[in-house]
Amino acid sequence: MSDEELAKDLGPLAALTIGVGTMIGAGIFVLPGDAISQAGSLAGGAFVLGGVIALFTALSASELGTAMPRSGGAYFYVNRALGPLFGSVAGWANWLGLAFASAFYMVGFGAYVRNIFGLATGYALVGLEIPTVKAMAFGGAALFVTVNYVGAKETGRLQNVIVVLLVVILAVFTALGVMRAEPANLPESKGFGAMLSTTGLIFVSYLGFVQITSVAEEIKDPDKNLPRAVIGSVLIVTTVYALVLVTMSAAVEGGFVAGLPADEIAVVEVGRQVQGGLLAGALLLGGLLATASSANASILASSRINFAMGRDRIVTPELNEIHGRFGTPYRAIGITGALILLFILVAPISTLAELGSVLHLVIYGLLNIALIVMREADVDGYDPSFTVPLYPFTPIVGALASFALIAYITPLVQWLGLGFVIFAGAWYLLYARSRTTEAGELADWILSRSDEMPDSAVTAAESVAPDGGQYRVMVPLANPEHETDLITLASALAKQHGGTVVATHIVTVPDQTTLSHARDNVDELDDGEISILDAAREDAETFGVDVETHTIYSHRAFEEVFDAARTYNADVCVMGWGPHSHGRAESRVDELTSDLPCDFLVLKDRGFDPDHILVPTAGGPDSELSAEVARDLQVEYDSEVTLLYVRDDDQSEAAATEFLEGWASEHDLEDAELVVESGDVESAIERRARSASMLVVGATERGLFQRLVGGSVVMDVVDDVDISVLLAEKKRSRSLKQRLLGND
Amino acid sequence: MRDLLAKPLVPIANEADATATLDALLGRLDADATIVVCHVIEKAGGAPDKASVEQREANAQDVFALVRERCADAGVDVQTRIDYGTDVADAVFAAAADVDATAVAFTPRGGSRWLRFLTGDTTLDLVTTNDRPVVVLPDAGDDTDDAEEGVDA
C-alpha cells in the first residue's frame, strides 16, 4: 500500500459512524422528553425540520469537503472563503460549540448513570447540595477528556460497534412501539411557534455531520465517501429521530411523557411501558453509550479545529504541540476539557444544548455563504467532485434557514451567542490579525475588482485584511531595464527580515476598455508583463526569499501602486523612478500622497552597487528608514556605510559630532564612518557622493511624493550625483482631524 | 561480519527521543555509515486518529530538522522518512526492509509500567517480533526519567 492509502484509512462506514455516532447520542436519548413537552404532537416535526435545515448545509459541506479535504472542516472552508475575520468566528464557534455540546452530552450521561445505579438526586457535601447528575457528568467528562489526552486508539473502533448497537436498540424500540401506537394517543399540537423554538433546542442533535469534514484528510477516497457519509448520516439520524419521536408520542397515552417527573428519562420510561424492563434496560445502556460516544467524538473533533486554527495562526500554534509520549494534541484537549468541565458546572442542560445549537447555526450559515463565494469568485483549483444540486438555491436556503432558526432560540442564549461572535471578531482584530496571513477568497475577489466594487466593500475588505506579522516588500515593476536592480534591492531587504517579495506588474488599461475585458485579453494589451514577472521571480529566488507575483489591471497606473500596497499588505514598497516608470499621476496626487500606506523606497537607478553607502541625515522619521535600509544592505553585502551630518553654522563641531554618534548608535550603525560637514547641504552631499556607490536619502517632512510626481523641483542633488539614489519615506497616515480640516 | 551499524534504521518518536538516541548512536558509527531515521505515524486503522495526520507530519519535520542538524555536525549521512501504520513496530520493520537496513537501532523510552500499558509497549514489540537485528542503545537520561516518573519501582 502507498503512504497515501495508509494515511487515509477511514472507509465509508467509519466516516458514516463519526457522523451518526456524534449525533445520535444527544438527539434521541436526552431531548425527546423536553421536545414533546414543548411542542406536543409537533415534536417529531421539530426533529424533521432540524434535519431538513441540516441537510441543506450537509450538501454544501459535502461540496466544500470534496474540494478541500483538509483537517479542520467547517472552520477551514469559512476561513479560506470568507477570510480570517469570519474564520475566527467560525473557528471559535465550532470549538466552543463542541465544548458546550460535549458538556450537554455529559449531563445526559450523568442522568443515565444516576438512573442505572438508582442514585439519589443529590447529596450534601459540606453544607452544599450537589446534584448527582452534575457530579456524574463532571466525572464522566473528566474520564473522556483523559482518554483523549492519553489517546487510546481503541476508543475509535469501539465507536463503530456502539453506533451499530444503538441503531439496533432504537430499531427494536420503534418496531415494538409502532405495534402499540394509536393516533389517539398523540398529544395536542402546541403550534408552529413552539415547534420552531423546539427545533432550536434540539438542533444540537445535528452537529455531527460537519465533524466528518474535520477529519476529511483521513477519509479514503473522499470524492465518493465524504458526501455519502455527510449526507447519509443526516438522512439516517433524521429518519431515526422521526420514527422514535412518533413512537414515543403515539405508543403511550397522551400526556405520559409530559407528566414524567424531571429525574426520569423519557425514552427509557416509554420503553418500559412498551415492553418492560428489558427494553428499558437496553435503552439505559444505549443512552449511556450514546452520550459517551457523542462527547468522545466531539472532543476529538474539536482538537482538529484547534489544529486548523493554529495552522492559520488564528490561535497560537503552541496549542498544537504533540505530546512526546502519547502522540496527542494534549494542550488543545486539555483546554477543551477544562472548558467542558466549567460549562457542566455553570450552565443548566437546556442552555448548554441551545448554546451548542446557536454556535453551530452560525457556522452552518457561514459555511453555505462560503460555498457561494468559492463558486462566484471562481477560485483557481476549486474543483469539487460533488456539487450541490440546484445551486444557488440550495446554499442560499441553507444559509437563510440556519440564521433564521437562531431567532427562535431563547433570548438569553441569543445574547450569549452574539457575545461569542463579538468576542471572536475582537479576537481577530486584536490578536490574530497581526499573525495570520491569508486574506481569504472573498477579500481577494473584491480587491482584485476594486474599480467595479462599491467603495464601501473595498474599504471594508482592506480594513480587516490580515497583516500577517510578516515583512512584505512590494515591487511595482514597469520598466524591464530596472527590474533586476529593484528586485535585488527588495530581495536583500526581504532576506534580512525573513520576508516575502511581492512583485506586481501594473498594466495600464485605456479608459475605454473595461478591466474584465483587459484581464481576458492579456496578450493584446501588453506582452511584456508576463516575462517581467518571470524575471522578477527568478531574480528573487536566487536570494532564496519567497516570491509572489501579481498582475494588476488598472485605469490609473500610478494610484494603483498605493492600492496594491494596501491590498498585498506591503510593509515597504520598492519602486523605480524615472520619466516612464508608472505613468503620469493625475490630479489626485495631493490627496494620495498625504497618506502613505507603507514605507516607500524610490530608486533612481544608475546601477545597483551597495559597496559604499552614503547616508546623509538630519534626524527625523524618514532618515530612520534610510538608516534601516543602510543597515540591512550592510549586513547583506558587507557594505561600507558613511553617515553624513551637515551642521548649521551656529552649532559647534563637538555638538554635531555628539549628535551624529548618538544617532549612529541608536540605529545600530556604530561601525559606520561618521562625517560632519558644514556649509551648503547639497554641495556637501555631492562632494561625499563622489567616493560612494549609492546614496540613501530620507525624504523631508514636506513629502517626497508630492514633489516627485507633481513634477515640481526634486532635490537637485538627485540629478547632480552620478550614483544610484534611494529616497526613503516612512508610512504615514493623516489623522481624522487632518482629513476633516484638509491640511497635512 | 558486516557491521551492524553500517546502515541502521533508527525509529524516533519526538525531539527528546531524537536527542537521547543520537547521543548514544552517533559516537558508535563508522565514518562511512548512513543512518535512516524514521518516524511512524500511528493510524487507528478505520477510526479517527488521536491527532491530525497533517499535524503529526509537521511534528515529524520538526524532529527531522533536529536530526539533520545533529548528523550534519557529526558528519554522518542521514535519510529521513515518515511511515504510517496501525502498529508502530510492524511499520518500523517494514521500513527497515524497504531501505535494506543492517539493523534497527533505538533507545528505549522508559516510562512506568502504567504508561507502557496505556501507550503500548513498543520497546517490547521491537525486541520480540523482529526479522532483523535490533540494537538497543543505552539512554544516558534514563535514570532521571525514572526518577521523575517515580512509579516504576
Side-chain angles (χ1 to χ4, degrees):
Chain A
M1 276 199 285
S2 71
D3 284 351
E4 164 95 1
E5 287 167 43
L6 286 164
K8 292 178 177 293
D9 60 356
L10 288 178
L13 183 67
L16 187 72
T17 52
I18 298 165
V20 176
T22 312
M23 290 192 269
I24 212 158
I28 226 55
F29 288 97
V30 182
L31 290 170
D34 291 334
I36 292 172
S37 310
Q38 273 192 29
S41 62
L42 290 179
F47 275 91
V48 172
L49 178 64
V52 170
I53 294 174
L55 187 61
F56 279 103
T57 304
L59 291 166
S60 293
S62 297
E63 172 170 328
L64 291 164
T66 58
M68 299 174 270
R70 294 282 301 274
S71 190
Y75 153 74
F76 180 77
Y77 313 137
V78 173
N79 191 57
R80 168 88 196 276
L82 305 181
L85 174 61
F86 292 103
S88 177
V89 171
W92 279 103
N94 209 344
W95 182 10
L96 294 176
L98 283 170
F100 282 118
S102 302
F104 161 75
Y105 303 143
M106 289 327 296
V107 177
F109 176 84
Y112 276 90
V113 172
R114 196 192 68 76
N115 264 268
I116 287 174
F117 296 103
L119 304 173
T121 54
Y123 50 91
L125 188 75
V126 276
L128 280 173
E129 175 82 0
I130 311 281
T132 309
V133 168
K134 288 247 169 163
M136 291 298 147
F138 197 86
L143 173 69
F144 293 113
V145 169
T146 307
V147 165
N148 279 284
Y149 190 98
V150 176
K153 66 177 177 181
E154 287 73 16
T155 56
R157 267 175 283 182
L158 200 56
Q159 185 99 335
N160 299 352
V161 179
I162 291 174
V163 169
V164 173
L165 189 65
L166 292 178
V167 173
V168 170
I169 292 174
L170 290 172
V172 171
F173 172 71
T174 309
L176 293 176
V178 165
M179 287 190 270
R180 280 180 43 123
E182 282 179 39
N185 285 342
L186 282 176
E188 269 179 51
S189 159
K190 307 250 171 103
F192 285 99
M195 183 179 94
L196 287 169
S197 57
T198 306
T199 308
L201 170 71
I202 59 89
F203 200 75
V204 72
S205 319
Y206 290 100
L207 313 188
F209 70 90
V210 83
Q211 316 318 338
I212 299 173
T213 63
S214 71
V215 293
E217 59 160 0
E218 291 165 46
I219 295 176
K220 205 184 287 177
D221 194 4
D223 288 347
K224 268 195 308 205
N225 290 333
L226 190 137
R228 284 181 189 171
V230 170
I231 297 164
S233 62
V234 173
L235 292 175
I236 290 174
V237 298
T238 307
T239 310
V240 170
Y241 292 166
L243 290 175
V244 169
L245 260 290
V246 169
T247 305
M248 286 182 63
S249 304
V252 292
E253 284 163 36
F256 174 80
V257 171
L260 283 172
D263 60 335
E264 291 197 357
I265 300 168
V267 69
V268 175
E269 296 313 312
V270 173
R272 202 183 305 282
Q273 290 285 313
V274 165
Q275 189 269 331
L278 191 61
L279 186 57
L283 286 164
L284 274 174
L285 176 69
L288 196 70
L289 294 175
T291 48
S293 85
S294 288
N296 198 44
S298 301
I299 295 167
L300 196 65
S302 76
S303 76
R304 303 298 159 89
I305 314 289
N306 289 154
F307 164 62
M309 289 169 81
R311 185 173 58 195
D312 296 325
R313 304 291 187 274
I314 298 281
V315 296
T316 170
E318 299 281 312
L319 195 59
N320 292 330
E321 173 131 334
I322 299 265
H323 193 282
R325 178 175 294 273
F326 303 140
T328 55
Y330 65 105
R331 289 181 182 163
I333 288 174
I335 292 175
T336 307
L339 289 172
I340 294 170
L341 295 176
L342 175 73
F343 296 158
I344 289 174
L345 291 183
V346 299
I349 184 166
S350 61
T351 307
L352 292 172
E354 286 198 295
L355 277 167
S357 290
V358 80
L359 292 176
H360 276 80
L361 285 168
V362 170
I363 301 162
Y364 291 179
L366 292 175
L367 186 97
N368 283 297
I369 296 171
L371 181 126
I372 298 171
V373 167
M374 293 307 281
R375 288 267 196 120
E376 294 306 314
D378 198 14
V379 174
D380 273 351
Y382 181 73
D383 185 20
S385 51
F386 172 90
T387 50
V388 296
L390 302 176
Y391 178 86
F393 172 78
T394 311
I396 291 175
V397 173
L400 291 178
S402 301
F403 288 138
L405 189 55
I406 294 175
Y408 292 93
I409 294 206
T410 319
L412 170 69
V413 175
Q414 288 174 344
W415 285 111
L416 286 172
L418 182 68
F420 282 117
V421 169
I422 291 170
F423 162 76
W427 175 270
Y428 168 69
L429 293 173
L430 299 177
Y431 173 85
R433 188 177 178 205
S434 61
R435 292 169 174 83
T436 192
T437 54
E438 299 299 322
E441 302 297 344
L442 178 63
D444 288 352
W445 187 74
I446 290 174
L447 294 177
S448 70
R449 284 162 183 72
S450 50
D451 282 23
E452 300 153 37
M453 287 283 155
D455 284 348
S456 56
V458 176
T459 313
E462 281 170 355
S463 58
V464 300
D467 55 22
Q470 187 199 29
Y471 191 77
R472 293 167 65 83
V473 186
M474 189 180 90
V475 190
L477 293 166
N479 187 341
E481 219 179 295
H482 299 305
E483 175 273 323
T484 304
D485 287 345
L486 290 172
I487 292 291
T488 304
L489 173 61
S491 305
L493 298 179
K495 192 176 166 192
Q496 289 308 317
H497 295 266
T500 301
V501 171
V502 183
T504 55
H505 181 92
I506 299 172
V507 180
T508 319
V509 179
D511 283 341
Q512 301 87 321
T513 313
T514 65
L515 295 180
S516 54
H517 178 80
R519 258 190 296 278
D520 298 340
N521 297 278
V522 179
D523 299 340
E524 292 167 30
L525 270 162
D526 186 352
D527 33 40
E529 78 270 13
I530 303 300
S531 56
I532 204 173
L533 289 180
D534 286 347
R537 175 174 291 279
E538 263 173 44
D539 287 333
E541 277 169 355
T542 59
F543 279 80
V545 296
D546 293 336
V547 200
E548 282 175 32
T549 58
H550 301 278
T551 304
I552 299 166
Y553 299 90
S554 174
H555 292 304
R556 40 191 187 95
F558 186 83
E559 290 89 329
E560 196 60 46
V561 171
F562 291 82
D563 287 349
R566 291 192 185 95
T567 307
Y568 299 116
N569 303 311
D571 291 281
V572 57
C573 176
V574 175
M575 62 189 285
W577 164 53
H580 306 295
S581 283
H582 289 283
R584 285 167 301 121
E586 310 200 350
S587 54
R588 289 180 55 211
V589 166
D590 279 358
E591 184 195 325
L592 270 177
T593 53
S594 40
D595 243 354
L596 278 192
C598 63
D599 296 347
F600 269 75
L601 295 170
V602 183
L603 182 68
K604 173 74 182 175
D605 190 14
R606 297 186 180 100
F608 180 76
D609 178 4
D611 198 42
H612 183 178
I613 301 167
L614 177 64
V615 184
T617 175
D622 294 319
S623 65
E624 245 166 58
L625 179 60
S626 25
E628 267 173 48
V629 172
R631 198 179 54 242
D632 287 342
L633 293 174
Q634 185 190 33
V635 175
E636 178 66 27
Y637 293 104
D638 211 8
S639 313
E640 190 183 331
V641 176
T642 301
L643 303 181
L644 172 65
Y645 177 66
V646 182
R647 68 183 165 94
D648 290 339
D649 290 337
D650 54 359
Q651 190 178 24
S652 73
E653 176 92 28
T657 307
E658 195 187 332
F659 164 78
L660 191 56
E661 278 170 356
W663 193 85
S665 71
E666 203 176 304
H667 295 92
D668 291 333
L669 285 165
E670 289 96 337
D671 50 355
E673 181 196 9
L674 305 181
V675 178
V676 174
E677 295 233 7
S678 62
D680 178 53
V681 176
E682 295 195 355
S683 52
I685 295 176
E686 281 164 40
R687 211 162 40 242
R688 286 290 160 180
R690 273 176 223 136
S691 57
S693 64
M694 186 180 223
L695 174 62
V696 182
V697 206
T700 64
E701 300 301 321
R702 278 171 293 164
L704 162 67
F705 272 92
Q706 239 143 331
R707 292 184 294 149
L708 270 185
V709 298
S712 59
V713 189
V714 176
M715 283 177 286
D716 293 336
V717 68
V718 176
D719 290 326
D720 292 346
V721 299
D722 52 9
I723 55 177
S724 285
V725 180
L726 193 60
L727 294 152
E729 184 159 4
K730 287 288 274 184
K731 169 181 182 161
R732 108 185 97 75
S733 49
R734 281 193 301 177
S735 68
L736 185 63
K737 186 179 155 203
Q738 285 169 330
R739 279 168 201 269
L740 290 174
L741 299 177
N743 57 11
D744 293 302
Chain B
M1 196 188 91
R2 220 178 135 197
D3 180 5
L4 270 182
L5 293 179
K7 189 184 181 187
L9 182 99
V10 186
I12 281 179
N14 56 45
E15 287 175 7
D17 189 25
T19 305
T21 305
L22 294 177
D23 281 348
L25 181 66
L26 290 177
R28 292 183 164 85
L29 295 174
D30 286 340
D32 57 347
T34 296
I35 66 171
V36 183
V37 168
C38 97
H39 176 82
V40 177
I41 291 185
E42 193 179 10
K43 293 293 300 173
D49 292 332
K50 51 194 180 183
S52 160
V53 171
E54 186 185 336
Q55 188 172 7
R56 287 179 292 166
E57 285 168 348
N59 184 52
Q61 293 305 337
D62 291 345
V63 176
F64 289 164
L66 175 76
V67 167
R68 287 196 202 95
E69 196 181 309
R70 287 287 311 269
C71 289
D73 290 348
V76 171
D77 282 342
V78 62
Q79 297 167 24
T80 57
R81 54 182 287 156
I82 295 178
D83 287 275
Y84 305 84
T86 50
D87 183 294
V88 175
D90 288 352
V92 167
F93 286 109
D98 195 38
V99 300
D100 195 23
T102 49
V104 169
F106 75 105
T107 305
R109 291 169 63 205
S112 65
R113 288 195 187 103
W114 170 238
L115 271 177
R116 285 184 206 187
F117 170 74
L118 280 177
T119 58
D121 193 345
T122 305
T123 300
L124 187 67
D125 290 348
L126 283 174
V127 298
T128 50
T129 51
N130 55 56
D131 60 0
R132 67 188 61 228
V134 173
V135 178
V136 181
L137 300 163
D139 182 358
D142 198 25
D143 293 343
T144 48
D145 261 14
D146 270 0
E148 270 168 27
E149 277 148 7
V151 193
D152 197 8

